[in-house]
Amino acid sequence: MTLLLMAATVAAVSAQVSFGRAERLNDDWRFLRADSMWNIRETADMKEPGFDDSRWRRVQLPHDWGVELPMSPDKGSCQGYLPGGIGWYRRVLPIQAVEAGQRLFIYFEGVYNYSEVYLNGHLLGRRPSGFASFLYDLTPHLRAGAKNVVAVRVDHSQEADSRWYTGSGIYRDVWLITAPEVHLAQWGTAYRLVSISGKKAVVDVETTDDRAVKPALTLQAAVALTDAQGRVVAEAKTVIGPQEKKTVRLTVSNPQRWTLDKPYLYTLTTKLSNGDQSTVRAGLRTLEFSPDRGFALNGQWIKVKGVCVHDDAGVLGTAVPAEVWRRRVRELKAIGTNALRMSHNPHAPALYDICDEEGMLVMDEASDEWEFPKRKWMRGWNQGAPGFEGTFNYFEEWIERDVADMVRRDRCHPSVFLWSIGNEVDYPNDPYSHPVLDGDGSFTQPVYGGYKPGQPNAERIGRIAQRLVRVVKAIDTSRPTTGALAGVVMSNETAYPDAIDVVGYNYTESRYDSDHKKYPKRVLYGSENRHDLDAWKAVRNNQHIFGQFLWTGIDYLGESGTWPARGSSAGLLDLAGQRKPQGWYRAALWSEQPVCYIGTAAQWGGGNGRNGRNRNGGPQVSPYAPDTWNYQAGQRVRVMCYTNAPSARLLLNGQPLEAEFERDPRTDILYCDVDYQPGTLRCEASNGAAYELKTSGEPYALRLTTDSAAHVFVEVVDEQGIPVRGADHEVSVSVRGARLLGLENGNIQNNHSPRRSPDYRPQSRLRLYGGRLVAYVEGAAGGGQTVSVRASAPYLQPAELTFPLK
């Protein structure tokens, strides 16, 4: 028999698929959000190849059904008031027959969650984790001359199983892989930099094969490293036997290093003599961690300026195209960010590829819960008693496999520099407790409610940490392990901090100095931090603290406040990926490029000395002021300048203002008060950077711009083309030549249902927020097509834009 793939196959070029030949299997799926079909068909029938799914909805993967449905105040705030439930996916495989000596596999990058995958009614496997990537062999149950149907049951009926929005469904790519019966193991190719100098690098490459049959067959494996121009710079050969792991050594002359500024990538190819091959990218860089000096990349001691990120992108839910992530990463890097913390789970493989390419460090993180659940608001927010749904149900059975798969999957990415085994698993009294909470000498009053003997003993977390670190070290010793500690006082009484190589403190800057003295061999950093200046000074002014990770880099769904908030607004970027004023403030603290931004705020009157003062009597200086210059004539306005320059000056309509900036010592922001006059307010920093605000007239027209990748930006302008930030019109968007994925305005309080019943097409109308929104578009596979986007709104001139989609 012959195996024929009816769609064209492509060689895998990422570590996400590391053997055979692969094609994305994202098209032509059928979907039903139910566990039975109108109570006529039973669940057992849905997995069978003959089941009639003709009335099911057609969907294209990645697909998150949660954001298709309306928010509801009786849902959990932890999930952004969005529902979960149970859903089924079905697809006929593009196969005609199977050739002897070949095998077929299906690879899921992520299914949320409790997935069951069937082929022709046969259970291939279950995976409870919604963040794990996994592979099944289809071959034993393929039928020659008949339809071969894959069915996937997804059970997110525990809707409040996470403290943030996770999405529901097959929300990442799916791959169909064909390979010889003897092939390279999935994630079985890895490399380790042994040494590097300006003249020579030594690299060890590990190769493992996999075989469904047991022939005493020995194959030759050829390993080659090519540079960015496609030239072979090192190669070696070895022989590999059944289930054998082999290591070959490559020597590279005049190596190029992977750095944050120049993230140079090689290509590592391993070929077996039977034709199978693995192709992954490789970056050569060194990591060094010191308890006294912090962190060095390629021998250069640097501060890690990191942010935490979740999986979603607002209206898109967790089904986020790579182009959206690429723009987000570039915008964060422009702010000065050099590291992402994958909170609190492995993310989509494409994001790691992007970080490799853009020069962004990555802390990869395994989990948010261990053997016991954390409290979550399951119905509304701060009402009644919290619940205890979560991933603890499958911890003992799956945690070692989940951690191991994270490390194997992501170890070829040079961007990954830390393996985190958990986040805030030590939160005091949620669930673990310890007598030290009644007082440890540094404080006399109980903290976190004091010791609770009925809670699990905190010493358990130390033993679990030791166990998970062993799992990581068995696979990769080139990077340190870490954990994000929420209860440092309590964890210091356990084996947890000593089990990991690098210790992260969440919001505990006050203990940096004392713990450095008490534990002089401990490498410390901020694994989760506030945005205030003092938290950054604790890093900047202490050589032994190598960095921080702000909570968060981008606004995200879930972990919401009171209804109708759909998420958290703690980010430097909003849900639409637009830089917020606090993003500019962070750029002033972090960026090595000249930065200047001005925000404004109306000041209240009165002769009692309180004008422009906050409740504590200090200056009202905030990193959240919007960039607008529209006020009442003569109104007193506070102007705040976020800059990394020593000084700046203001000009109004080209004339210097007499008002001089003062510097707020608590924020490092320059500020002054001026009397409003319409026109152009310009700030010029002494480092050469400048920023202008212009008084806008009445809303007149819509304007469209694009990055030609996935975003079309919509904004309102006046007759002179000046953006009108106060506009809130409802805008209609139509797209020709591509698919509209959704409209996002970045408003956390916007609780619209982003899809329209009964066809669930993306909503094509949305109200502006801050005078703008973004339309996400996606072209057909292969790209290169021309796209036309038209936007209209009542009483405004419409706009149309035609461009080639990358």
Side-chain angles (χ1 to χ4, degrees), residues 604 609-610 612-620 666:
W604 58 89
R610 294 189 60 209
R613 317 297 286 182
N614 65 19
R615 287 177 296 177
N616 297 321
Q620 185 186 18
R666 296 171 302 179

Side-chain angles (χ1 to χ4, degrees), residues 60 709-710 712 734-741 762 776-781 783 785-789 803-806:
Q60 180 171 327
V712 175
S734 61
V735 178
R736 297 192 308 274
R739 186 165 67 111
L740 176 65
L741 296 180
Y776 296 112
V777 297
E778 181 179 68
Q785 67 271 29
T786 298
V787 178
S788 293
V789 178
F803 58 96
L805 190 63
K806 294 179 183 177

Side-chain angles (χ1 to χ4, degrees), residues 635-685:
Q635 187 174 4
R636 196 71 169 165
V637 177
R638 172 143 294 170
V639 180
M640 287 156 274
C641 174
Y642 316 152
T643 182
N644 49 13
S647 61
R649 67 168 188 161
L650 281 177
L651 297 90
L652 183 59
N653 297 323
Q655 299 299 313
L657 293 176
E658 294 183 1
E660 294 185 358
F661 281 119
E662 298 181 54
R663 187 175 297 275
D664 178 13
R666 296 171 302 179
T667 62
D668 214 27
I669 295 173
L670 301 177
Y671 70 98
C672 66
D673 295 334
V674 301
D675 293 327
Y676 172 75
Q677 297 179 42
T680 300
L681 181 69
R682 179 178 174 85
C683 183
E684 296 178 346

